[in-house]
Amino acid sequence: MRTVHRSVRQAPSDTSRLPAAALLGRASEMRTITELLESIATQGGVLIVRGEPGSGKSAYLDHAVTQATSAGAAVLKTLGVQSEAQMPFAGLHQLLCPVLGHAERLPEAQRLGLLSALTGAPGTPDLFLVALAALNLLGELATASPVLIVADDAHWLDAPSADVLSFVARRLGSDPIVLAAAVRDGYPSRFDGADLPEVRLEPLDPKEAS
């Protein structure tokens, strides 16, 4: 059987980032994501990464991608963009488009709802059906290999996409799926008040970052 991670196209990385430098002095925070991903083959989980601009949130997620890839996991990525925040399901489209062909395995109502939301197929997207379809699609993918979902700048995701990811995040556990999302301090997000595990990247003492 063809493994899922070969069919997943990762979003281009920003070569200007310097993850190693950005994560100096973050040993405690790094252990949190490391421990989560070390068990990705047998159980899922969620981690919301919070911090100020420039605190290293994107570098933290890059590290998670590197670790998950090394463990043979599939990686699905989306990036919140302020200019697309009013475009329904734009973020979810970026996340699931590479694996949308697997939607044929879903129950018809879920499949049609998801295709309506992401491809403009006829019909009015029902948010619950779309969220349920996304969860079940990820579960199908996880039968072939563990899955890491990465949402950077999640505070800028369009509301329906953020609602779907929040729905998924609250239902992970038994499947080998981990969701890691970065949220900037001072910006509201759909993950607020959801009682999800978090790590905060506090400003570093200059001595720790050198």
mmCIF file of all heavy atoms in Angstrom, residues 17-59:
data_model
loop_
_atom_site.group_PDB
_atom_site.id
_atom_site.type_symbol
_atom_site.label_atom_id
_atom_site.label_comp_id
_atom_site.label_asym_id
_atom_site.label_seq_id
_atom_site.Cartn_x
_atom_site.Cartn_y
_atom_site.Cartn_z
ATOM 1 N N ARG A 17 14.543 31.532 7.726
ATOM 2 C CA ARG A 17 14.428 31.212 9.136
ATOM 3 C C ARG A 17 15.688 30.514 9.626
ATOM 4 O O ARG A 17 16.330 29.762 8.907
ATOM 5 C CB ARG A 17 13.225 30.295 9.396
ATOM 6 C CG ARG A 17 11.875 30.951 9.147
ATOM 7 C CD ARG A 17 10.794 29.917 9.272
ATOM 8 N NE ARG A 17 9.466 30.498 9.089
ATOM 9 C CZ ARG A 17 8.367 29.801 8.899
ATOM 10 N NH1 ARG A 17 8.438 28.480 8.866
ATOM 11 N NH2 ARG A 17 7.209 30.384 8.745
ATOM 12 N N LEU A 18 15.973 30.710 10.905
ATOM 13 C CA LEU A 18 17.109 30.045 11.529
ATOM 14 C C LEU A 18 16.597 29.330 12.774
ATOM 15 O O LEU A 18 16.739 29.818 13.892
ATOM 16 C CB LEU A 18 18.202 31.062 11.895
ATOM 17 C CG LEU A 18 18.840 31.806 10.721
ATOM 18 C CD1 LEU A 18 19.808 32.866 11.233
ATOM 19 C CD2 LEU A 18 19.568 30.848 9.795
ATOM 20 N N PRO A 19 15.973 28.156 12.610
ATOM 21 C CA PRO A 19 15.328 27.492 13.739
ATOM 22 C C PRO A 19 16.265 27.258 14.911
ATOM 23 O O PRO A 19 15.886 27.449 16.053
ATOM 24 C CB PRO A 19 14.846 26.162 13.137
ATOM 25 C CG PRO A 19 14.713 26.439 11.683
ATOM 26 C CD PRO A 19 15.805 27.417 11.369
ATOM 27 N N ALA A 20 17.486 26.815 14.652
ATOM 28 C CA ALA A 20 18.390 26.494 15.752
ATOM 29 C C ALA A 20 18.636 27.705 16.626
ATOM 30 O O ALA A 20 18.595 27.640 17.859
ATOM 31 C CB ALA A 20 19.706 25.956 15.192
ATOM 32 N N ALA A 21 18.894 28.859 16.002
ATOM 33 C CA ALA A 21 19.141 30.077 16.771
ATOM 34 C C ALA A 21 17.882 30.534 17.488
ATOM 35 O O ALA A 21 17.930 30.974 18.640
ATOM 36 C CB ALA A 21 19.658 31.181 15.843
ATOM 37 N N ALA A 22 16.731 30.432 16.810
ATOM 38 C CA ALA A 22 15.485 30.909 17.394
ATOM 39 C C ALA A 22 15.067 30.092 18.607
ATOM 40 O O ALA A 22 14.322 30.585 19.452
ATOM 41 C CB ALA A 22 14.377 30.874 16.340
ATOM 42 N N LEU A 23 15.531 28.867 18.722
ATOM 43 C CA LEU A 23 15.096 27.981 19.793
ATOM 44 C C LEU A 23 16.113 27.848 20.918
ATOM 45 O O LEU A 23 15.906 27.059 21.841
ATOM 46 C CB LEU A 23 14.764 26.601 19.215
ATOM 47 C CG LEU A 23 13.597 26.607 18.220
ATOM 48 C CD1 LEU A 23 13.415 25.238 17.596
ATOM 49 C CD2 LEU A 23 12.310 27.057 18.895
ATOM 50 N N LEU A 24 17.206 28.593 20.857
ATOM 51 C CA LEU A 24 18.162 28.576 21.957
ATOM 52 C C LEU A 24 17.476 29.036 23.239
ATOM 53 O O LEU A 24 16.700 29.988 23.248
ATOM 54 C CB LEU A 24 19.352 29.496 21.652
ATOM 55 C CG LEU A 24 20.370 28.983 20.628
ATOM 56 C CD1 LEU A 24 21.413 30.054 20.343
ATOM 57 C CD2 LEU A 24 21.038 27.717 21.140
ATOM 58 N N GLY A 25 17.768 28.353 24.334
ATOM 59 C CA GLY A 25 17.172 28.718 25.608
ATOM 60 C C GLY A 25 15.758 28.227 25.804
ATOM 61 O O GLY A 25 15.066 28.651 26.734
ATOM 62 N N ARG A 26 15.288 27.329 24.935
ATOM 63 C CA ARG A 26 13.912 26.843 24.995
ATOM 64 C C ARG A 26 13.855 25.347 25.323
ATOM 65 O O ARG A 26 12.981 24.629 24.845
ATOM 66 C CB ARG A 26 13.217 27.069 23.652
ATOM 67 C CG ARG A 26 13.192 28.528 23.185
ATOM 68 C CD ARG A 26 11.903 29.158 23.553
ATOM 69 N NE ARG A 26 11.777 30.510 23.017
ATOM 70 C CZ ARG A 26 11.212 31.483 23.682
ATOM 71 N NH1 ARG A 26 10.744 31.268 24.905
ATOM 72 N NH2 ARG A 26 11.112 32.697 23.156
ATOM 73 N N ALA A 27 14.776 24.854 26.121
ATOM 74 C CA ALA A 27 14.858 23.413 26.385
ATOM 75 C C ALA A 27 13.561 22.867 26.967
ATOM 76 O O ALA A 27 13.069 21.810 26.554
ATOM 77 C CB ALA A 27 16.032 23.114 27.322
ATOM 78 N N SER A 28 12.981 23.573 27.916
ATOM 79 C CA SER A 28 11.752 23.092 28.545
ATOM 80 C C SER A 28 10.609 23.045 27.548
ATOM 81 O O SER A 28 9.863 22.058 27.477
ATOM 82 C CB SER A 28 11.391 24.008 29.719
ATOM 83 O OG SER A 28 10.151 23.623 30.278
ATOM 84 N N GLU A 29 10.461 24.106 26.751
ATOM 85 C CA GLU A 29 9.391 24.154 25.761
ATOM 86 C C GLU A 29 9.578 23.081 24.688
ATOM 87 O O GLU A 29 8.616 22.492 24.209
ATOM 88 C CB GLU A 29 9.329 25.535 25.105
ATOM 89 C CG GLU A 29 8.941 26.660 26.053
ATOM 90 C CD GLU A 29 10.147 27.290 26.736
ATOM 91 O OE1 GLU A 29 11.217 26.623 26.796
ATOM 92 O OE2 GLU A 29 10.030 28.436 27.204
ATOM 93 N N MET A 30 10.837 22.818 24.319
ATOM 94 C CA MET A 30 11.119 21.815 23.293
ATOM 95 C C MET A 30 10.758 20.414 23.775
ATOM 96 O O MET A 30 10.304 19.579 22.997
ATOM 97 C CB MET A 30 12.588 21.875 22.894
ATOM 98 C CG MET A 30 13.004 23.182 22.234
ATOM 99 S SD MET A 30 12.074 23.525 20.731
ATOM 100 C CE MET A 30 12.707 22.243 19.683
ATOM 101 N N ARG A 31 10.938 20.168 25.054
ATOM 102 C CA ARG A 31 10.607 18.836 25.591
ATOM 103 C C ARG A 31 9.113 18.554 25.412
ATOM 104 O O ARG A 31 8.714 17.401 25.179
ATOM 105 C CB ARG A 31 10.989 18.740 27.071
ATOM 106 C CG ARG A 31 12.445 18.419 27.312
ATOM 107 C CD ARG A 31 12.688 17.948 28.741
ATOM 108 N NE ARG A 31 12.354 18.994 29.706
ATOM 109 C CZ ARG A 31 13.210 19.929 30.117
ATOM 110 N NH1 ARG A 31 14.447 19.946 29.626
ATOM 111 N NH2 ARG A 31 12.846 20.832 30.996
ATOM 112 N N THR A 32 8.285 19.590 25.512
ATOM 113 C CA THR A 32 6.838 19.393 25.395
ATOM 114 C C THR A 32 6.464 18.816 24.036
ATOM 115 O O THR A 32 5.737 17.821 23.950
ATOM 116 C CB THR A 32 6.108 20.727 25.616
ATOM 117 O OG1 THR A 32 6.450 21.254 26.899
ATOM 118 C CG2 THR A 32 4.604 20.530 25.535
ATOM 119 N N ILE A 33 6.947 19.419 22.959
ATOM 120 C CA ILE A 33 6.610 18.920 21.628
ATOM 121 C C ILE A 33 7.343 17.626 21.319
ATOM 122 O O ILE A 33 6.803 16.740 20.647
ATOM 123 C CB ILE A 33 6.897 19.998 20.541
ATOM 124 C CG1 ILE A 33 6.295 19.571 19.196
ATOM 125 C CG2 ILE A 33 8.383 20.275 20.416
ATOM 126 C CD1 ILE A 33 4.799 19.488 19.167
ATOM 127 N N THR A 34 8.562 17.486 21.831
ATOM 128 C CA THR A 34 9.319 16.253 21.594
ATOM 129 C C THR A 34 8.601 15.058 22.191
ATOM 130 O O THR A 34 8.442 14.015 21.547
ATOM 131 C CB THR A 34 10.735 16.373 22.182
ATOM 132 O OG1 THR A 34 11.447 17.405 21.494
ATOM 133 C CG2 THR A 34 11.491 15.061 22.039
ATOM 134 N N GLU A 35 8.139 15.194 23.427
ATOM 135 C CA GLU A 35 7.442 14.092 24.078
ATOM 136 C C GLU A 35 6.127 13.763 23.369
ATOM 137 O O GLU A 35 5.743 12.595 23.250
ATOM 138 C CB GLU A 35 7.189 14.439 25.545
ATOM 139 C CG GLU A 35 8.470 14.484 26.381
ATOM 140 C CD GLU A 35 8.231 15.007 27.782
ATOM 141 O OE1 GLU A 35 7.061 15.368 28.098
ATOM 142 O OE2 GLU A 35 9.189 15.084 28.559
ATOM 143 N N LEU A 36 5.454 14.793 22.875
ATOM 144 C CA LEU A 36 4.201 14.567 22.162
ATOM 145 C C LEU A 36 4.441 13.787 20.878
ATOM 146 O O LEU A 36 3.699 12.842 20.550
ATOM 147 C CB LEU A 36 3.536 15.914 21.861
ATOM 148 C CG LEU A 36 2.160 15.892 21.196
ATOM 149 C CD1 LEU A 36 1.150 15.161 22.067
ATOM 150 C CD2 LEU A 36 1.687 17.316 20.926
ATOM 151 N N LEU A 37 5.482 14.155 20.139
ATOM 152 C CA LEU A 37 5.744 13.512 18.857
ATOM 153 C C LEU A 37 6.413 12.154 19.011
ATOM 154 O O LEU A 37 6.318 11.314 18.110
ATOM 155 C CB LEU A 37 6.595 14.425 17.978
ATOM 156 C CG LEU A 37 5.855 15.679 17.484
ATOM 157 C CD1 LEU A 37 6.815 16.620 16.771
ATOM 158 C CD2 LEU A 37 4.697 15.311 16.568
ATOM 159 N N GLU A 38 7.080 11.930 20.119
ATOM 160 C CA GLU A 38 7.686 10.615 20.343
ATOM 161 C C GLU A 38 6.630 9.515 20.445
ATOM 162 O O GLU A 38 6.920 8.347 20.166
ATOM 163 C CB GLU A 38 8.544 10.643 21.605
ATOM 164 C CG GLU A 38 9.904 11.299 21.413
ATOM 165 C CD GLU A 38 10.728 11.357 22.675
ATOM 166 O OE1 GLU A 38 10.155 11.160 23.780
ATOM 167 O OE2 GLU A 38 11.951 11.586 22.571
ATOM 168 N N SER A 39 5.420 9.879 20.830
ATOM 169 C CA SER A 39 4.354 8.883 20.974
ATOM 170 C C SER A 39 3.324 8.970 19.863
ATOM 171 O O SER A 39 2.253 8.375 19.956
ATOM 172 C CB SER A 39 3.657 9.057 22.329
ATOM 173 O OG SER A 39 3.075 10.343 22.436
ATOM 174 N N ILE A 40 3.645 9.701 18.776
ATOM 175 C CA ILE A 40 2.658 9.922 17.717
ATOM 176 C C ILE A 40 2.231 8.621 17.040
ATOM 177 O O ILE A 40 1.130 8.528 16.519
ATOM 178 C CB ILE A 40 3.210 10.919 16.659
ATOM 179 C CG1 ILE A 40 2.086 11.361 15.706
ATOM 180 C CG2 ILE A 40 4.371 10.312 15.883
ATOM 181 C CD1 ILE A 40 2.510 12.453 14.743
ATOM 182 N N ALA A 41 3.080 7.616 17.057
ATOM 183 C CA ALA A 41 2.730 6.355 16.394
ATOM 184 C C ALA A 41 1.612 5.608 17.107
ATOM 185 O O ALA A 41 0.930 4.776 16.495
ATOM 186 C CB ALA A 41 3.960 5.456 16.277
ATOM 187 N N THR A 42 1.384 5.918 18.389
ATOM 188 C CA THR A 42 0.404 5.160 19.155
ATOM 189 C C THR A 42 -0.748 6.002 19.689
ATOM 190 O O THR A 42 -1.788 5.462 20.059
ATOM 191 C CB THR A 42 1.079 4.465 20.352
ATOM 192 O OG1 THR A 42 1.746 5.445 21.158
ATOM 193 C CG2 THR A 42 2.089 3.439 19.858
ATOM 194 N N GLN A 43 -0.573 7.322 19.730
ATOM 195 C CA GLN A 43 -1.656 8.168 20.228
ATOM 196 C C GLN A 43 -1.499 9.590 19.702
ATOM 197 O O GLN A 43 -0.414 9.998 19.305
ATOM 198 C CB GLN A 43 -1.680 8.200 21.760
ATOM 199 C CG GLN A 43 -0.452 8.837 22.384
ATOM 200 C CD GLN A 43 -0.509 8.822 23.907
ATOM 201 O OE1 GLN A 43 -1.177 7.980 24.500
ATOM 202 N NE2 GLN A 43 0.185 9.742 24.536
ATOM 203 N N GLY A 44 -2.600 10.303 19.686
ATOM 204 C CA GLY A 44 -2.581 11.658 19.172
ATOM 205 C C GLY A 44 -2.514 12.691 20.273
ATOM 206 O O GLY A 44 -2.402 12.368 21.452
ATOM 207 N N GLY A 45 -2.588 13.947 19.866
ATOM 208 C CA GLY A 45 -2.542 15.017 20.841
ATOM 209 C C GLY A 45 -2.578 16.373 20.174
ATOM 210 O O GLY A 45 -2.593 16.488 18.944
ATOM 211 N N VAL A 46 -2.596 17.401 21.002
ATOM 212 C CA VAL A 46 -2.703 18.774 20.534
ATOM 213 C C VAL A 46 -1.731 19.641 21.311
ATOM 214 O O VAL A 46 -1.489 19.404 22.503
ATOM 215 C CB VAL A 46 -4.132 19.329 20.751
ATOM 216 C CG1 VAL A 46 -4.254 20.739 20.185
ATOM 217 C CG2 VAL A 46 -5.166 18.416 20.138
ATOM 218 N N LEU A 47 -1.190 20.656 20.640
ATOM 219 C CA LEU A 47 -0.379 21.645 21.331
ATOM 220 C C LEU A 47 -0.595 22.997 20.668
ATOM 221 O O LEU A 47 -0.368 23.154 19.467
ATOM 222 C CB LEU A 47 1.108 21.279 21.293
ATOM 223 C CG LEU A 47 2.016 22.169 22.150
ATOM 224 C CD1 LEU A 47 1.644 22.046 23.629
ATOM 225 C CD2 LEU A 47 3.480 21.822 21.945
ATOM 226 N N ILE A 48 -1.040 23.968 21.459
ATOM 227 C CA ILE A 48 -1.194 25.338 20.992
ATOM 228 C C ILE A 48 0.041 26.113 21.445
ATOM 229 O O ILE A 48 0.361 26.140 22.638
ATOM 230 C CB ILE A 48 -2.469 25.986 21.557
ATOM 231 C CG1 ILE A 48 -3.690 25.096 21.295
ATOM 232 C CG2 ILE A 48 -2.662 27.371 20.952
ATOM 233 C CD1 ILE A 48 -3.935 24.772 19.839
ATOM 234 N N VAL A 49 0.729 26.718 20.494
ATOM 235 C CA VAL A 49 1.964 27.452 20.771
ATOM 236 C C VAL A 49 1.643 28.940 20.761
ATOM 237 O O VAL A 49 1.194 29.476 19.738
ATOM 238 C CB VAL A 49 3.047 27.131 19.721
ATOM 239 C CG1 VAL A 49 4.370 27.790 20.101
ATOM 240 C CG2 VAL A 49 3.218 25.623 19.567
ATOM 241 N N ARG A 50 1.868 29.612 21.875
ATOM 242 C CA ARG A 50 1.551 31.031 21.979
ATOM 243 C C ARG A 50 2.816 31.842 22.239
ATOM 244 O O ARG A 50 3.775 31.347 22.855
ATOM 245 C CB ARG A 50 0.539 31.278 23.103
ATOM 246 C CG ARG A 50 -0.809 30.594 22.868
ATOM 247 C CD ARG A 50 -1.820 30.977 23.929
ATOM 248 N NE ARG A 50 -3.090 30.291 23.741
ATOM 249 C CZ ARG A 50 -4.078 30.742 22.978
ATOM 250 N NH1 ARG A 50 -3.942 31.893 22.339
ATOM 251 N NH2 ARG A 50 -5.211 30.057 22.860
ATOM 252 N N GLY A 51 2.809 33.081 21.789
ATOM 253 C CA GLY A 51 3.948 33.950 22.032
ATOM 254 C C GLY A 51 3.839 35.244 21.262
ATOM 255 O O GLY A 51 2.965 35.411 20.394
ATOM 256 N N GLU A 52 4.726 36.158 21.575
ATOM 257 C CA GLU A 52 4.767 37.442 20.894
ATOM 258 C C GLU A 52 5.394 37.285 19.509
ATOM 259 O O GLU A 52 6.039 36.272 19.224
ATOM 260 C CB GLU A 52 5.587 38.438 21.722
ATOM 261 C CG GLU A 52 5.020 38.726 23.102
ATOM 262 C CD GLU A 52 5.922 39.641 23.906
ATOM 263 O OE1 GLU A 52 7.042 39.963 23.420
ATOM 264 O OE2 GLU A 52 5.519 40.038 25.014
ATOM 265 N N PRO A 53 5.219 38.287 18.637
ATOM 266 C CA PRO A 53 5.919 38.246 17.345
ATOM 267 C C PRO A 53 7.423 38.122 17.554
ATOM 268 O O PRO A 53 7.995 38.787 18.422
ATOM 269 C CB PRO A 53 5.567 39.592 16.709
ATOM 270 C CG PRO A 53 4.283 39.996 17.351
ATOM 271 C CD PRO A 53 4.354 39.491 18.762
ATOM 272 N N GLY A 54 8.058 37.229 16.790
ATOM 273 C CA GLY A 54 9.500 37.044 16.901
ATOM 274 C C GLY A 54 9.942 36.144 18.038
ATOM 275 O O GLY A 54 11.143 35.998 18.280
ATOM 276 N N SER A 55 8.988 35.517 18.725
ATOM 277 C CA SER A 55 9.359 34.661 19.862
ATOM 278 C C SER A 55 9.826 33.278 19.431
ATOM 279 O O SER A 55 10.303 32.503 20.268
ATOM 280 C CB SER A 55 8.169 34.526 20.825
ATOM 281 O OG SER A 55 7.041 33.963 20.170
ATOM 282 N N GLY A 56 9.679 32.944 18.151
ATOM 283 C CA GLY A 56 10.151 31.649 17.670
ATOM 284 C C GLY A 56 9.062 30.625 17.427
ATOM 285 O O GLY A 56 9.352 29.431 17.305
ATOM 286 N N LYS A 57 7.814 31.066 17.324
ATOM 287 C CA LYS A 57 6.706 30.123 17.130
ATOM 288 C C LYS A 57 6.853 29.341 15.831
ATOM 289 O O LYS A 57 6.662 28.119 15.802
ATOM 290 C CB LYS A 57 5.363 30.862 17.141
ATOM 291 C CG LYS A 57 5.056 31.603 18.431
ATOM 292 C CD LYS A 57 3.669 32.222 18.426
ATOM 293 C CE LYS A 57 3.496 33.280 17.356
ATOM 294 N NZ LYS A 57 4.415 34.424 17.497
ATOM 295 N N SER A 58 7.189 30.033 14.738
ATOM 296 C CA SER A 58 7.327 29.344 13.450
ATOM 297 C C SER A 58 8.500 28.373 13.476
ATOM 298 O O SER A 58 8.427 27.266 12.928
ATOM 299 C CB SER A 58 7.509 30.361 12.319
ATOM 300 O OG SER A 58 6.333 31.132 12.143
ATOM 301 N N ALA A 59 9.596 28.776 14.108
ATOM 302 C CA ALA A 59 10.750 27.879 14.232
ATOM 303 C C ALA A 59 10.396 26.654 15.063
ATOM 304 O O ALA A 59 10.843 25.537 14.782
ATOM 305 C CB ALA A 59 11.924 28.628 14.858
#
